[in-house]
Structures are given as C-alpha cells and as structure tokens.
C-alpha cells in the first residue's frame, strides 16, 4: 500500500491541504473541500512534504506564476485522466466551456460525463478545473464552491 502524507498551508482562499505519495501530489483540498471531506485516517500529517507545490501555489497567488511544474499522482478512470490531461491545456487567464473541452477530447456528446470527471479532479488549481464554465457563461459545477472559482478566475484576470 502506498503511504500518503499531507500538509496544510495557508492561502488567500483559506487553508489548503496537499497530500502526496512518493510519485507526486495525490490530492489538493481547497478549504471548502477539506471541511466537507477530510483525508482518510491512514494518511499521515507531515508538514515537511510538498514544499515545491506550496512554493508554486504562493507564487500563483502572488501573480508570479501561470503554470505549475510539480509531479502528480492522480488516481482515476481512463476517462477521468483524459479529462484531467485536457484541463491542463487550458491556458492561464482563459476559460472554456464543458462542451469545448468535450470536443477537444473527441467526445462532443460526453459533456455531462466530462463535467462529472471535472468535478472529481483531485488536484484543483494545479489542474485548472476552475477554468471550465457552463455554456451559458455561469460559474457552475465547482466542488470548491462558486465563490472560490470566481476568486481564482479574477486572480487570473478573467472577468
């Protein structure tokens, strides 16, 4: 069994928790997510982990970073991993719709499934699921909460 360790770091959004395995970041929990569902009991707190991710998040929130360069260890289905890879192609300061992303991965009719996979993104911000909006332009479907989604988009200069 893989050992997972995590740390908690302050951010302008509130405390963010970052869980890592030996392969990379397994999960990033925004403040609202952490309050709703914490980490499994067998994951151990270790504040010596995720220093690179913490540094890069601090730079992102300070407006000094537009991309992340950290190892990821995201666990999902093949479809979820395909969606999460596509999310990483949406540039800083840009948005797209769920439909746009579904077309990008060659599954234009899979908008709802794509939305569900987007909602299960275990590493928000670093894998920018906040950059995907509804076809009507609404900030829909963000597990971290629409307020946090709006804050992240404003940070990136999206009106």
């Amino acid at each position: 069994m893989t050992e997972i360790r995590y740390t908690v770091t302050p951010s302008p959004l509130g405390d963010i928790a970052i869980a890592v395995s030996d392969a990379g970041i397994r999960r990033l929990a925004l403040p609202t997510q952490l309050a709703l569902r914490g980490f499994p009991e067998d994951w151990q707190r270790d504040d010596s982990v995720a220093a690179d991710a913490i540094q890069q998040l601090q730079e992102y929130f300070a407006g000094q970073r537009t991309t992340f360069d950290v190892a990821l260890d995201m666990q999902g289905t093949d479809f979820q991993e395909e969606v999460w890879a596509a999310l990483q192609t949406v540039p800083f300061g840009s948005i797209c719709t769920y439909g746009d992303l579904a077309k990008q991965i060659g599954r234009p009719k899979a908008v709802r499934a794509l939305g569900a996979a987007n909602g299960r993104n275990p590493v928000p911000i670093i894998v920018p699921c906040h950059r995907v909006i509804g076809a009507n332009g609404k900030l829909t479907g963000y597990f971290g909460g629409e307020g946090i989604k709006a804050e992240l988009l404003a940070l990136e200069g999206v009106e």
Side-chain angles (χ1 to χ4, degrees):
M1 184 164 184
T2 303
E3 180 183 46
I4 307 295
R5 297 172 296 147
Y6 71 93
T7 188
V8 179
T9 187
S11 83
L13 305 173
D15 287 345
I16 293 175
I18 304 168
V20 298
S21 70
D22 288 339
I25 298 173
R26 175 71 59 94
R27 187 168 157 216
L28 184 151
L30 297 169
T32 50
Q33 295 170 318
L34 195 56
L36 287 174
R37 63 171 196 215
F39 291 146
E41 289 182 18
D42 61 332
W43 291 12
Q44 300 297 311
R45 181 152 181 175
D46 178 351
D47 290 332
S48 71
V49 301
D52 287 345
I54 291 169
Q55 177 67 36
Q56 290 185 31
L57 284 165
Q58 289 171 343
E59 292 167 358
Y60 170 81
F61 286 119
Q64 301 166 341
R65 175 173 288 276
T66 60
T67 60
F68 292 89
D69 180 24
V70 292
L72 300 174
D73 184 23
M74 299 165 57
Q75 306 287 306
T77 66
D78 289 345
F79 180 74
Q80 288 170 334
E81 291 179 6
E82 181 179 16
V83 170
W84 300 335
L87 288 171
Q88 294 177 72
T89 69
V90 181
F92 178 91
S94 300
I95 54 173
C96 69
T97 67
Y98 293 97
D100 294 336
L101 211 56
K103 288 176 192 162
Q104 179 181 327
I105 66 169
R107 299 174 187 228
K109 295 184 181 190
V111 175
R112 286 182 186 257
L114 184 138
N118 190 53
R120 294 197 184 279
N121 171 16
V123 188
I125 302 175
I126 293 173
V127 176
C129 53
H130 62 277
R131 296 179 188 154
V132 185
I133 63 170
N136 61 3
K138 301 276 186 193
L139 304 182
T140 60
Y142 195 65
F143 184 63
E146 289 180 19
I148 287 179
K149 185 172 189 168
E151 285 185 60
L152 293 170
L153 291 173
L155 173 78
E156 295 185 14
V158 176
E159 301 283 327

